Amino acid sequence: MKKIAFVGTLLTFATLGSANALQFSDGRNAFKINASGTAGIIEPDFNNTLFLGDFDVRAQYNYAVAAGQTLGFIYELDADAVDEHNYLHDAFGLWESRDFGRIEVGFTESAAHKLGVGLPDVGGLRVNHKPLFYKKIKPEGHVIPHTSVTSGHDSPRINLVSVPTNVGQYGLSVAGFGKDFNYAVDGGVKFRFPDGKLKSALSLGASFIDKPHKFEHTTYTPKVTADWRSQASVGFNLQYNSWIWGTSVLAIYDKNPVGNTGDGISTGTGVSYDILNYSVSLTYMYSQTGIWHSDIKNYNDNSVIGSFRYKYSEYLQMWTSIGLTSKTPFLSTALKVIF
């Protein structure tokens, strides 16, 4: 089955019906659980073997209120949430209409984040979301490890997202009542052009966070305290047959930060190719922090990752990645099981 050129898309507005799931439906009620687990190794400098693991479990309940209208609840737990000791990364209620779109209320990422377009990658190192290799290979300075807008999971949020059309989809988020900031407003839009041999997708996102207080953008950037933070991102994917090319950029600015800051830019590009059950990709990422403030030392980080994946079945995949990041070469390989 050909993929539409939305590789790396962080959109999670999924519906029930995946083959790889424990699910049942009874009249108006439907329930589904998806899960995946990854176990393998990573070798920094090719001589120090470390365990590498990842997992994700997602449960969804839907109730059909009327024709074309659904109420539901989603809870998701993954390795990232466990690392941060935050077990409400994704726990939210939803109302969905095939005519108007979707409303999400609870703890989850913003619409701008979910509508973002990331970089092509066929490995299992989470290139587009808090890369796993940074857990084992600590960078020498602060890095912005992905290229999508985020205002975190820790504050209650309302997401409003339109119905996807042949041309585009847009969303708006408002978050507040948390300890990390006064409030946050995020907006995003995605344009899709899926017809013909040449398919493409373009995403635009922006965010404003008022008075962040020890707000942690990611695990690899310091907790920021400032008057305000603004973010803007652009992502683009282009697909021709089995070839996919993508590029994206994120810019972050903090107004009058206190102490260390992790604002700056993150950008990257990549290409992937699929043939039968085999996939390969090459991805480059660049991060620079401290560039907006003359009293803070800049830090640059370049990462290059090549990955190979073999899809044995719809339930089992094997992948290998080789790369260079933070001046440290590495080799990683693992099995991924999908339920």
Side-chain angles (χ1 to χ4, degrees), residues 10 112-113 116-117 119 128 143-151 186 203-207 217-218 221 229-235 247-253 262-268 286-289 291-292:
L10 297 177
H113 184 86
V117 171
L119 303 174
N128 288 296
V143 298
I144 304 172
H146 55 72
T147 56
S148 59
V149 167
T150 180
S151 52
D186 301 69
S203 71
L204 305 171
S207 173
H217 177 79
T218 69
T221 55
R229 163 170 283 197
S230 62
Q231 303 174 68
S233 68
V234 179
T247 186
S248 55
V249 60
L250 169 69
I252 304 174
Y253 176 76
D263 62 354
I265 61 171
S266 177
T267 187
Y286 172 77
S287 168
Q288 185 175 15
T289 53
I291 60 177
W292 315 122

Side-chain angles (χ1 to χ4, degrees), residues 54-130:
D54 198 14
F55 75 90
D56 180 86
V57 180
R58 179 183 174 91
Q60 179 172 348
Y61 167 75
N62 278 5
Y63 176 75
V65 179
Q69 295 187 39
T70 301
L71 290 174
F73 181 80
I74 291 176
Y75 179 78
E76 184 171 5
L77 182 66
D78 58 19
D80 180 37
V82 173
D83 289 342
E84 296 181 3
H85 305 289
N86 180 3
Y87 299 98
L88 290 177
H89 256 204
D90 274 292
F92 58 92
L94 62 93
W95 175 78
E96 197 167 39
S97 168
R98 67 186 178 193
D99 296 321
F100 300 102
R102 180 168 173 140
I103 300 175
E104 299 176 344
V105 180
F107 295 90
T108 187
E109 278 284 6
S110 68
H113 184 86
K114 294 183 178 185
L115 290 172
V117 171
L119 303 174
D121 173 64
V122 304
L125 291 173
R126 290 201 322 233
V127 164
N128 288 296
H129 181 70
K130 298 184 180 180

Side-chain angles (χ1 to χ4, degrees), residues 10-291:
L10 297 177
L11 177 65
T12 59
F13 307 131
T15 58
L16 296 173
S18 171
N20 299 323
L22 173 65
Q23 58 184 321
F24 74 87
S25 60
D26 180 16
R28 294 177 179 269
N29 299 281
F31 179 76
K32 180 178 72 170
I33 295 179
N34 290 99
S36 66
T38 298
I41 60 170
I42 185 170
E43 291 190 346
D45 286 326
F46 306 122
N47 62 11
N48 184 23
T49 303
L50 304 173
F51 173 76
L52 189 74
D54 198 14
F55 75 90
D56 180 86
V57 180
R58 179 183 174 91
Q60 179 172 348
Y61 167 75
N62 278 5
Y63 176 75
V65 179
Q69 295 187 39
T70 301
L71 290 174
F73 181 80
I74 291 176
Y75 179 78
E76 184 171 5
L77 182 66
D78 58 19
D80 180 37
V82 173
D83 289 342
E84 296 181 3
H85 305 289
N86 180 3
Y87 299 98
L88 290 177
H89 256 204
D90 274 292
F92 58 92
L94 62 93
W95 175 78
E96 197 167 39
S97 168
R98 67 186 178 193
D99 296 321
F100 300 102
R102 180 168 173 140
I103 300 175
E104 299 176 344
V105 180
F107 295 90
T108 187
E109 278 284 6
S110 68
H113 184 86
K114 294 183 178 185
L115 290 172
V117 171
L119 303 174
D121 173 64
V122 304
L125 291 173
R126 290 201 322 233
V127 164
N128 288 296
H129 181 70
K130 298 184 180 180
L132 283 174
F133 49 80
Y134 282 132
K135 293 179 63 175
K136 306 299 182 180
I137 308 170
K138 300 297 183 183
E140 298 175 357
H142 302 308
V143 298
I144 304 172
H146 55 72
T147 56
S148 59
V149 167
T150 180
S151 52
H153 305 252
D154 297 336
S155 296
R157 181 185 307 280
I158 298 176
N159 286 339
L160 307 175
V161 183
S162 71
V163 173
T165 66
N166 291 334
V167 177
Q169 185 178 22
Y170 59 89
L172 178 68
S173 297
V174 179
F177 304 107
K179 59 183 177 60
D180 295 335
F181 46 73
N182 281 357
Y183 66 86
V185 179
D186 301 69
V189 61
K190 177 181 288 181
F191 301 99
R192 300 178 178 91
F193 305 95
D195 298 326
K197 284 190 175 182
L198 197 62
K199 312 175 193 300
S200 61
L202 171 69
S203 71
L204 305 171
S207 173
F208 177 84
I209 302 175
D210 184 60
K211 289 184 170 52
H213 179 69
K214 296 183 179 179
F215 169 71
E216 189 175 41
H217 177 79
T218 69
T219 308
Y220 319 109
T221 55
K223 295 181 178 180
V224 60
T225 297
D227 291 348
W228 49 262
R229 163 170 283 197
S230 62
Q231 303 174 68
S233 68
V234 179
F236 180 71
N237 279 175
L238 188 66
Q239 177 185 354
Y240 179 75
N241 292 331
S242 296
W243 288 96
I244 297 176
W245 169 76
T247 186
S248 55
V249 60
L250 169 69
I252 304 174
Y253 176 76
D254 293 331
K255 179 67 174 179
N256 297 327
V258 177
N260 293 328
T261 183
D263 62 354
I265 61 171
S266 177
T267 187
T269 188
V271 62
S272 68
Y273 179 74
D274 293 340
I275 180 170
L276 300 176
N277 292 340
Y278 303 91
S279 303
V280 294
S281 67
L282 182 65
T283 306
Y284 167 74
M285 296 183 293
Y286 172 77
S287 168
Q288 185 175 15
T289 53
I291 60 177

